[in-house]
Amino acid sequence: MGAGHDTVAAELARRARERGDEALVVDVLTLLPYRLGDALRGFYRGSVRHAPWAYAALYELFLRPGSGRRPGGTPLARLAGGRLLELAGRTGADVVVPVFHLGAQLTGHLRERGLLRVPSVVLVIDFAAHRQWAHPGNDHHLCLSEEAAREVRAMTGGPAEACGPVVAPDFFADGSGGSDDSGGSGGSGDSGGSGLPGAVGAAGAAGAAEWRRLFDRCAPAGRPSCCPPVPGASPPASRRPPGSWPATAACRSCCAAATSGCAAPWSASRACSRWAG
């Protein structure tokens, strides 16, 4: 759906491989039949960019909590069930880790019915965990913050814990290419030892916001790299301001919002390994 989900999945896979495990990243939308995944992706990007009212209506209906029975994403997700089960069996997977809420609905549905024989551990990459992330059939939920974990526990009645944002080691590197020994993002708020305040700009779902305007207003004169734009979908390099970070660093926005709460770098992969036995 966007660079945020893709970046988290890639980083989690990198950590698993670095530990000597095998990891396979699969786009759940490609598991849907009849090219429904392509249609869903196109509708999402088109609506947030050109008809945000349409996405707002869907969010209100499907994602926002409310009283009484509410429609969910399970009927759509279950269409990918056969392909996921075949893939898990063929690869001998020990655990399935959804990083997208449609995947969480799929694995929860399959686990609840005893069809998926291995644990499913959902990595919730949103600070505000909407209800489509929470399916009681999943074995465990990993969240960015303890507040999000409490919300998920209340929705599912099952276990959920905070693991902190899953970001690449480069996120903690200073401007000179070194790394911050404190394990955080510098603490002082400097950008590469320049004495200038660092900032991370998020351009919203699928990069729909005016990220260039954000960049122009925030970046100090002559220092364009101090305010890296972080769209949800990567624009061509020719359209990015010189010196800016590529959009695939989308998860940098997570740590910007929870710098002091960043967990140890291995926490998410260790938790997944625990559930894989």
Side-chain angles (χ1 to χ4, degrees):
M1 273 301 195
H5 301 284
D6 295 343
T7 306
V8 171
E11 172 58 18
L12 194 60
R14 184 198 67 79
R15 296 183 188 187
R17 291 166 185 148
E18 193 168 84
R19 289 166 58 93
D21 299 321
E22 295 182 9
L24 175 66
V25 177
V26 178
D27 185 347
V28 68
L29 296 184
T30 65
L31 300 180
L32 292 170
Y34 316 118
R35 302 195 66 178
L36 288 175
D38 291 339
L40 186 63
R41 197 191 316 269
F43 172 79
Y44 168 70
R45 291 179 176 174
S47 63
V48 297
R49 290 175 178 172
H50 307 295
W53 57 268
Y55 185 71
L58 288 175
Y59 192 96
E60 184 70 29
L61 185 63
F62 286 91
L63 306 182
R64 191 180 297 277
S67 59
R69 294 182 60 85
R70 309 272 291 186
T74 300
L76 175 64
R78 67 193 300 177
L79 295 177
R83 292 182 178 181
L84 178 61
L85 291 174
E86 187 276 331
L87 186 64
R90 175 164 48 85
T91 60
D94 296 307
V95 61
V96 179
V97 186
V99 297
F100 178 46
H101 58 82
L102 189 66
Q105 290 293 309
L106 172 58
T107 55
H109 167 76
L110 296 175
R111 288 290 287 163
E112 195 171 51
R113 284 154 180 75
L115 300 175
L116 181 62
R117 303 299 179 88
V118 298
S120 55
V121 180
V122 180
L123 182 55
V124 182
I125 70 170
D126 292 333
F127 278 100
H130 58 68
R131 66 188 186 89
Q132 293 301 316
W133 280 109
H135 192 296
N138 288 304
D139 297 85
H140 199 69
H141 288 76
L142 299 173
C143 304
L144 297 180
S145 67
E146 179 55 37
E147 181 180 1
R150 285 196 300 269
E151 293 175 356
V152 170
R153 287 194 294 267
M155 286 188 282
T156 66
E161 63 181 296
C163 68
V166 178
V167 295
D170 287 348
F171 181 86
F172 299 107
D174 60 30
S176 61
S179 61
D180 178 6
D181 293 336
S182 68
S185 59
S188 65
D190 287 353
S191 179
S194 66
L196 296 173
V200 177
E210 294 290 339
W211 59 270
R212 185 177 292 277
R213 183 181 303 173
L214 170 70
F215 176 83
D216 291 340
R217 295 183 62 178
C218 294
R223 297 288 302 192
S225 62
C226 289
C227 182
V230 184
S234 179
S238 60
R239 291 173 50 198
R240 294 198 301 262
S244 67
W245 287 85
T248 49
C251 287
R252 296 172 69 89
S253 60
C254 296
C255 253
T259 300
S260 61
C262 286
W266 289 113
S267 59
S269 18
R270 281 177 176 163
C272 292
S273 297
R274 252 195 348 260
W275 281 90

